[in-house]
Amino acid sequence: MAEYVSEAKSIAAPRSAVYAKLSDLSNLNALAEMLPEGKVNLTAVDSDSCTLSINPVGQITLRIAERKPDNLIRFEADRSPIPLDAHIQLDEATPGNTKLTVMLKAELNMFVKPMLDKPLREGVDKLAMLLSSLKYA
């Protein structure tokens, strides 16, 4: 299984506020406007799942599989061309300052890995950057 981990991003907000926003996916509709046009579209979202249309991969539905308050949100792919799961890890660096890290694990066979390795590596960093740019106050 291939593992991709983003750089830690700093958010000027308490960890509890960041967790509260990210653990309810319906709060992420603001991301729809920030996604790269023509490459990624947020097609459906509710409090526990979201569906993304990713060009040229297709549709992926991520569902929250586990919530650890103020610390971890773990996602599983319900519908994906490749088996994967993702985690958002939150750590409080100092009071009122949260470090966010995105991790993705994907089962990539030896034929697919050369094609997807770089986009997945860049994708986790871009997702971490997008999540860190949201308003949490």
Side-chain angles (χ1 to χ4, degrees), residues 14-20 23 67-73 88-92 98-99:
R15 181 168 61 170
S16 60
V18 176
Y19 176 83
S23 64
R67 290 177 173 95
K68 289 186 180 175
D70 297 345
N71 187 16
L72 175 80
I73 306 162
I88 297 174
Q89 180 75 41
L90 303 173
D91 295 306
E92 193 160 60
T98 302
K99 295 284 185 192

Coordinates of all heavy atoms in Angstrom, one line a residue, residues 14-20 23 67-73 88-92 98-99:
P14 N -8.2 27.4 17.3 CA -8.1 26.3 18.2 C -8.4 24.9 17.5 O -9.2 24.9 16.6 CB -9.1 26.6 19.3 CG -9.5 28.0 19.1 CD -9.2 28.3 17.6
R15 N -7.8 23.9 18.0 CA -8.0 22.6 17.4 C -9.4 22.2 17.4 O -10.0 21.6 16.5 CB -7.1 21.5 18.1 CG -7.2 20.2 17.6 CD -6.2 19.2 18.1 NE -6.2 19.1 19.5 CZ -5.6 18.2 20.2 NH1 -4.7 17.4 19.6 NH2 -5.7 18.1 21.5
S16 N -10.2 22.5 18.5 CA -11.6 22.1 18.6 C -12.4 22.8 17.5 O -13.3 22.2 17.0 CB -12.1 22.5 20.0 OG -12.0 23.9 20.2
A17 N -12.1 24.0 17.1 CA -12.8 24.7 16.1 C -12.5 24.1 14.7 O -13.5 24.0 13.9 CB -12.5 26.2 16.1
V18 N -11.3 23.8 14.5 CA -10.9 23.1 13.2 C -11.6 21.8 13.1 O -12.2 21.4 12.1 CB -9.4 23.0 13.1 CG1 -9.0 22.2 11.8 CG2 -8.7 24.4 13.1
Y19 N -11.6 21.0 14.2 CA -12.2 19.7 14.2 C -13.7 19.8 13.9 O -14.3 19.1 13.1 CB -11.9 18.9 15.5 CG -12.7 17.6 15.5 CD1 -12.1 16.5 14.9 CD2 -13.9 17.5 16.1 CE1 -12.8 15.3 14.9 CE2 -14.6 16.3 16.2 CZ -14.1 15.2 15.6 OH -14.7 14.0 15.6
A20 N -14.3 20.7 14.6 CA -15.8 20.9 14.5 C -16.2 21.2 13.0 O -17.2 20.7 12.5 CB -16.3 22.0 15.4
S23 N -15.1 17.9 10.7 CA -15.8 16.6 11.0 C -17.3 16.6 10.5 O -17.9 15.6 10.5 CB -15.8 16.3 12.5 OG -16.5 17.3 13.2
R67 N -14.2 9.2 13.7 CA -14.0 10.5 14.3 C -13.4 10.3 15.7 O -14.0 9.7 16.5 CB -15.3 11.3 14.4 CG -15.9 11.7 13.1 CD -17.2 12.4 13.4 NE -17.8 13.0 12.2 CZ -18.7 12.4 11.4 NH1 -19.2 11.2 11.8 NH2 -19.2 13.0 10.4
K68 N -12.3 10.9 15.9 CA -11.7 11.0 17.3 C -11.7 12.5 17.6 O -10.9 13.3 17.0 CB -10.3 10.5 17.3 CG -10.2 9.0 17.1 CD -8.8 8.4 17.3 CE -8.8 6.9 17.2 NZ -7.4 6.4 17.2
P69 N -12.6 12.9 18.5 CA -12.8 14.4 18.7 C -11.5 15.1 18.9 O -10.6 14.7 19.7 CB -13.7 14.4 20.0 CG -14.4 13.1 19.9 CD -13.5 12.1 19.3
D70 N -11.4 16.2 18.2 CA -10.3 17.2 18.2 C -9.0 16.6 17.8 O -7.9 17.2 18.0 CB -10.1 17.8 19.6 CG -11.4 18.6 20.0 OD1 -12.2 18.9 19.2 OD2 -11.5 18.9 21.2
N71 N -8.9 15.4 17.2 CA -7.7 14.8 16.8 C -7.6 14.2 15.4 O -6.7 14.5 14.7 CB -7.3 13.7 17.9 CG -6.0 13.1 17.7 OD1 -5.1 13.7 17.0 ND2 -5.7 12.0 18.3
L72 N -8.6 13.4 15.0 CA -8.5 12.6 13.8 C -9.8 12.5 13.1 O -10.9 12.2 13.8 CB -8.0 11.2 14.1 CG -7.9 10.2 13.0 CD1 -6.7 10.5 12.1 CD2 -7.9 8.8 13.5
I73 N -9.8 12.6 11.8 CA -11.0 12.2 11.0 C -10.5 11.3 9.9 O -9.6 11.6 9.2 CB -11.6 13.5 10.3 CG1 -11.9 14.6 11.4 CG2 -12.8 13.1 9.5 CD1 -12.1 15.9 10.8
I88 N -7.3 12.9 8.3 CA -6.9 14.3 8.6 C -6.5 14.3 10.1 O -7.3 13.9 10.9 CB -8.0 15.3 8.4 CG1 -8.4 15.4 6.9 CG2 -7.6 16.7 8.9 CD1 -9.7 16.2 6.6
Q89 N -5.2 14.6 10.3 CA -4.7 14.6 11.7 C -4.6 16.0 12.2 O -4.0 16.9 11.5 CB -3.3 13.9 11.7 CG -2.7 13.9 13.1 CD -3.3 12.8 14.0 OE1 -3.6 11.7 13.5 NE2 -3.4 13.1 15.2
L90 N -5.1 16.3 13.4 CA -5.0 17.6 14.0 C -4.2 17.6 15.2 O -4.4 16.8 16.1 CB -6.4 18.2 14.3 CG -7.4 18.2 13.1 CD1 -8.7 18.6 13.6 CD2 -6.9 19.2 12.0
D91 N -3.2 18.5 15.4 CA -2.4 18.6 16.6 C -2.4 20.1 17.0 O -2.2 20.9 16.1 CB -0.9 18.1 16.3 CG -0.9 16.6 16.0 OD1 -1.4 15.9 16.8 OD2 -0.3 16.3 14.9
E92 N -2.5 20.3 18.2 CA -2.4 21.7 18.7 C -1.0 22.0 19.0 O -0.4 21.6 20.0 CB -3.3 21.9 19.9 CG -3.5 23.3 20.2 CD -4.8 23.6 21.1 OE1 -4.8 23.0 22.2 OE2 -5.7 24.3 20.7
T98 N -3.3 25.4 15.3 CA -3.5 23.9 15.0 C -2.6 23.6 13.8 O -2.5 24.3 12.8 CB -5.0 23.6 14.7 OG1 -5.8 24.0 15.8 CG2 -5.2 22.2 14.3
K99 N -2.0 22.4 13.9 CA -1.2 21.8 12.8 C -2.1 20.8 12.1 O -2.6 19.9 12.8 CB 0.1 21.2 13.2 CG 1.1 22.1 13.8 CD 1.7 22.9 12.7 CE 2.8 23.8 13.3 NZ 3.3 24.7 12.4

